[in-house]
Amino acid sequence: MRWYKDAIVYQIYPRSFNDSNGDGIGDIRGIIEKLDYLKDLGINTVWLSPIYDSPLDDMGYDIRNYCDVLKEYGTLEDFKEMLDGMHRRGIKLIMDLVVNHTSDEHPWFLEAKKSVDNPYHDYYIFRKGKKGKAPNNWRSFFGGSAWEYNEATDEYYLHLFSKRQPDLNWENPKVREEVKKILKFWLDMGVDGFRCDVINLLSKKEGLPSTKGLPILSAKGIYIDGPKMHEYLQELKRDVFSKYDMFTVGECVLIDHETALSYVREGVDELNMVFHFEHMNADCFFSKWLPRKFKLRRLKAPLSKWQYALQDEGWNSLFLENHDQPRSVNRFGNLEYRVQLAKMLAVFIFSQKGTPYIYQGQEIGMTNAHYTSIDQYKDVETLNMYKTLRKFMSEKRAMKLVKIASRDNSRTPMQWNKAKNAGFSTGEPWLEVNPNYVEINVEDSLKDEDSILNFYKKYLALRKNHPIFVHGDYREHYPKSNKIAYYERNFDGKKLLVICNFTDKELKFNPIYDLSKFQLLLNNYSEDKDILLPYQAKIYLGEKA
Ligand code: TEU
Ligand code: CA
């Protein structure tokens, strides 16, 4: 049963979601307190970012013990209670699976680094240096070399992320067996699937050759979508995935649609869907750290390409936000129209064919962090990049980039109400709350009929009532327009039209079809004119004709 096609996913970043005991840190009991809120919103699946035991160098994406919960977040008993509470409400839970690397405090690594003949040495990727330098030219995603020297063995170890996140050696069958054990541990407990962190980095090309060309971008086939990816995923599918009623979504770095299809094609099912990031370049060159002006075409074109490529034989995941990305209202429009903009963006992205992923706070239109000093940031990528940037630019320019690109933009605590610390915590929050919580918060949004939150609820209910949202074929109109996003979906003799004005001005446009023959299903304005209002979004339903 491909239930993932009907999934509407809500991503929880646990540290910033809700703090139940006043220590300033979100926790599992805090999530339990909000399960009714999630149910009421209309989602049916939660993706929980890592809650495992971790020294938090990368906020939990560096795991010390895969089968236990970080003390600050609670206990395994709390976890089971949360899972049970979700299931009772008809909500499934997918966990974050981070197995490209572990924490440098994982017992395997503590052993591995001791000596070359330690039984765990081959769990990781150690190599001799070349003439006193790193074994090759690979760069870390967080800046700098991907190699760190280990004195005890006079070798370097590979870390594609921070130096406290050593890469596992997937060539070693013991590592693969360990991962299967971890998967079964959670699946047997009742977990419904996994979001697989940087899954297309698992396989590193034999001999670990240096890349030729731009760092990282030229790593395709070397450590991005490497030679044994299919082999590894097939093995996981054979021994684990196929034995449970679950789904996987693979986070895939720099992946193209053809490679994605080779993983997700129905029948192959190595993964059920992937996250790609091509549309995240709509306002930057390859990386958030190289910003440029937002252009609608750069958002639409990659999304459309993926729609056409995957809609028949595969499946897409639909997102504009996650814990690594700045807030969408800051990126894809004029923030002065925040409310209409947030509603329009939801209609635009989630009405395509695929599974929607809503990131916590997106449903109330939360904005980027307000910070002005580097000391206010906590994210390891941000701090590393800042250090790198400061080598060749002024503090002012570096801070300007940090403000645009930092991952902490989406990690500020969830804004629940007008109380102290936005109702997130009675104590000192681990990361500063955005002061705009007095205007932007859940409690007020629930009361306001025209709020973004109530629009999300209406929209998600509509989606559930009309199978065309899940099953309809996708076809785009006006692909070249930088002002309007317009596409249709077709299913079972019906046609759905999705029309979005991406400008802050009124807009004339030719709808192609005779709209008087269609029913207006949803509108983010109370007015309905021939022209489109700033950031207006409308959905029409009619006969296919
Ligand atoms: O992200 C992978 C990834 O590609 C990002 O690190 C990306 O390069 C960066 O966030 C852009 O700002 C995943 C997780 O989502 C991320 O939180 C982790 O830090 C990373 O893997 C390592 O586990
Ligand atoms: Ca807490």
Side-chain angles (χ1 to χ4, degrees):
M1 229 273 295
R2 298 185 182 274
W3 59 267
Y4 59 85
K5 294 191 176 177
D6 291 300
I8 299 171
V9 187
Y10 186 90
Q11 184 192 351
I12 292 181
Y13 192 71
R15 206 171 181 77
S16 300
F17 190 61
N18 186 33
D19 173 21
S20 71
N21 64 350
D23 65 357
I25 296 165
D27 46 51
I28 293 172
R29 302 216 70 84
I31 298 173
I32 295 175
E33 289 172 9
K34 299 296 181 187
L35 291 181
D36 285 330
Y37 168 73
L38 296 178
K39 173 79 194 159
D40 198 38
L41 174 59
I43 60 98
N44 57 22
T45 307
V46 164
W47 152 25
L48 184 60
S49 275
I51 42 93
Y52 313 96
D53 177 46
S54 160
L56 302 173
D57 178 60
D58 188 15
M59 288 307 155
Y61 283 89
D62 49 322
I63 299 173
R64 188 164 49 196
N65 181 351
Y66 286 90
C67 296
D68 202 1
V69 168
L70 180 67
K71 277 205 186 65
E72 294 172 339
Y73 294 160
T75 63
L76 268 178
E77 288 316 304
D78 295 329
F79 180 85
K80 286 179 189 155
E81 191 182 323
M82 175 190 74
L83 181 59
D84 189 49
M86 287 179 178
H87 285 166
R88 268 189 285 119
R89 289 170 179 82
I91 297 172
K92 307 225 188 215
L93 175 65
I94 68 167
M95 303 271 286
D96 224 305
L97 178 75
V98 189
V99 289
N100 174 67
H101 44 266
T102 70
S103 158
D104 64 342
E105 291 185 23
H106 193 290
W108 301 336
F109 190 71
L110 295 179
E111 286 299 313
K113 68 179 193 184
K114 281 184 187 162
S115 71
V116 287
D117 28 61
N118 188 287
Y120 288 95
H121 192 66
D122 202 30
Y123 270 44
Y124 294 86
I125 302 173
F126 286 91
R127 290 292 185 280
K128 286 281 177 211
K130 284 200 176 133
K131 296 181 194 145
K133 284 201 182 124
N136 66 28
N137 69 356
W138 296 3
R139 311 291 293 171
S140 152
F141 284 89
F142 292 162
S145 167
W147 295 93
E148 185 72 12
Y149 184 65
N150 179 49
E151 211 177 318
T153 61
D154 184 31
E155 288 171 309
Y156 291 77
Y157 68 85
L158 178 70
H159 62 90
L160 290 179
F161 293 88
S162 98
K163 64 177 183 224
R164 300 204 49 198
Q165 294 168 296
D167 278 51
L168 282 165
N169 176 19
W170 274 71
E171 293 278 341
N172 183 348
K174 284 191 200 141
V175 167
R176 306 201 294 273
E177 289 309 317
E178 300 273 13
V179 170
K180 290 180 215 166
K181 265 196 262 168
I182 296 164
L183 286 165
K184 288 180 187 157
F185 175 83
W186 293 103
L187 289 164
D188 288 336
M189 205 185 291
V191 160
D192 304 288
F194 293 94
R195 175 270 189 188
C196 309
D197 191 65
V198 291
I199 199 73
N200 67 332
L201 303 183
L202 297 186
S203 167
K204 280 85 177 170
K205 188 171 179 177
E206 213 184 309
L208 311 185
S210 279
T211 59
K212 296 190 182 75
L214 287 171
I216 301 179
L217 293 177
S218 58
K220 186 99 193 157
I222 295 182
Y223 61 82
I224 296 176
D225 298 307
K228 294 203 178 152
M229 274 311 301
H230 292 295
E231 204 178 297
Y232 297 156
L233 291 173
Q234 284 290 344
E235 187 178 327
L236 293 181
K237 178 191 161 187
R238 185 192 68 209
D239 295 345
V240 187
F241 299 160
S242 63
K243 300 197 171 358
Y244 296 84
D245 183 23
M246 58 169 289
F247 86 79
T248 54
V249 48
E251 188 209 23
C252 292
V253 182
L254 291 167
I255 195 169
D256 58 75
H257 58 284
E258 277 133 5
T259 311
L261 194 56
S262 74
Y263 297 138
V264 306
R265 195 189 299 274
E266 289 182 19
V268 174
D269 294 307
E270 292 171 355
L271 297 165
N272 295 120
M273 58 188 126
V274 308
F275 289 125
H276 73 84
F277 295 91
E278 276 192 52
H279 61 305
M280 291 287 109
N281 293 334
D283 61 349
C284 60
F285 298 95
F286 306 116
S287 152
K288 298 172 300 173
W289 297 96
L290 297 168
R292 60 176 164 174
K293 197 166 172 288
F294 167 66
K295 266 224 164 104
L296 178 58
R297 272 177 71 174
R298 293 198 284 248
L299 183 65
K300 291 194 305 185
L303 287 170
S304 267
K305 184 176 71 184
W306 280 74
Q307 284 289 307
Y308 289 125
L310 268 65
Q311 66 171 339
D312 296 328
E313 303 169 86
W315 194 250
N316 270 293
S317 59
L318 309 168
F319 77 95
L320 289 180
E321 291 191 15
N322 64 36
H323 65 294
D324 293 333
Q325 298 292 334
R327 292 290 185 178
S328 56
V329 286
N330 287 82
R331 299 177 73 176
F332 307 130
N334 180 344
L335 199 55
E336 284 171 36
Y337 293 83
R338 188 183 61 88
V339 173
Q340 300 304 28
L341 172 62
K343 294 175 184 174
M344 183 279 284
L345 289 174
V347 168
F348 165 72
I349 189 73
F350 298 137
S351 307
Q352 302 202 0
K353 190 175 187 181
T355 297
Y357 288 80
I358 302 161
Y359 177 68
Q360 68 183 44
Q362 187 176 357
E363 78 278 24
I364 55 169
M366 277 178 63
T367 63
N368 279 352
H370 60 292
Y371 309 149
T372 49
S373 150
I374 192 67
D375 307 327
Q376 291 165 292
Y377 291 88
K378 297 272 152 65
D379 168 38
V380 60
E381 183 202 44
T382 306
L383 301 178
N384 281 0
M385 287 306 281
Y386 179 76
K387 242 189 259 159
T388 308
L389 293 172
R390 284 292 283 120
K391 286 183 192 149
F392 52 88
M393 64 176 72
S394 68
E395 186 190 333
K396 203 170 150 202
R397 277 190 58 208
M399 276 309 292
K400 208 173 145 192
L401 283 176
V402 163
K403 257 188 104 69
I404 293 172
S406 172
R407 304 197 294 185
D408 284 337
N409 279 320
S410 57
R411 298 178 181 183
T412 61
M414 182 71 184
Q415 296 168 197
W416 294 104
N417 56 40
K418 272 211 252 310
K420 190 177 155 212
N421 298 326
F424 162 73
S425 172
T426 53
E428 193 62 37
W430 74 279
L431 186 67
E432 269 179 59
V433 175
N434 194 317
N436 68 13
Y437 72 85
V438 288
E439 283 113 45
I440 304 172
N441 64 68
V442 169
E443 200 175 294
D444 288 354
S445 304
L446 284 171
K447 286 183 211 144
D448 172 6
E449 227 187 291
D450 293 327
S451 67
I452 299 165
L453 181 58
N454 279 316
F455 185 84
Y456 261 77
K457 284 199 204 177
K458 234 185 287 169
Y459 175 72
L460 295 181
L462 202 64
R463 205 178 191 284
K464 279 184 202 152
N465 287 331
H466 296 279
I468 192 169
F469 279 99
V470 174
H471 302 288
D473 291 339
Y474 170 94
R475 209 180 112 210
E476 188 186 17
H477 299 291
Y478 303 129
K480 300 222 161 92
S481 170
N482 266 316
K483 296 180 171 160
I484 189 170
Y486 181 15
Y487 57 86
E488 61 178 70
R489 308 279 310 276
N490 291 287
F491 179 66
D492 205 15
K494 296 216 164 62
K495 188 185 288 296
L496 194 77
L497 305 177
V498 179
I499 301 164
C500 299
N501 179 359
F502 263 83
T503 75
D504 53 11
K505 311 217 162 43
E506 295 191 343
L507 192 67
K508 263 202 266 178
F509 95 110
N510 172 7
I512 308 167
Y513 299 102
D514 176 3
L515 292 182
S516 69
K517 297 209 170 110
F518 283 75
Q519 172 201 357
L520 182 59
L521 271 191
L522 190 73
N523 181 356
N524 64 345
Y525 278 85
S526 48
E527 295 125 284
D528 178 22
K529 303 186 188 169
D530 282 340
I531 46 151
L532 293 171
L533 299 164
Y535 297 111
Q536 186 163 24
K538 296 202 269 186
I539 302 180
Y540 289 90
L541 183 65
E543 300 300 317
K544 206 162 167 181

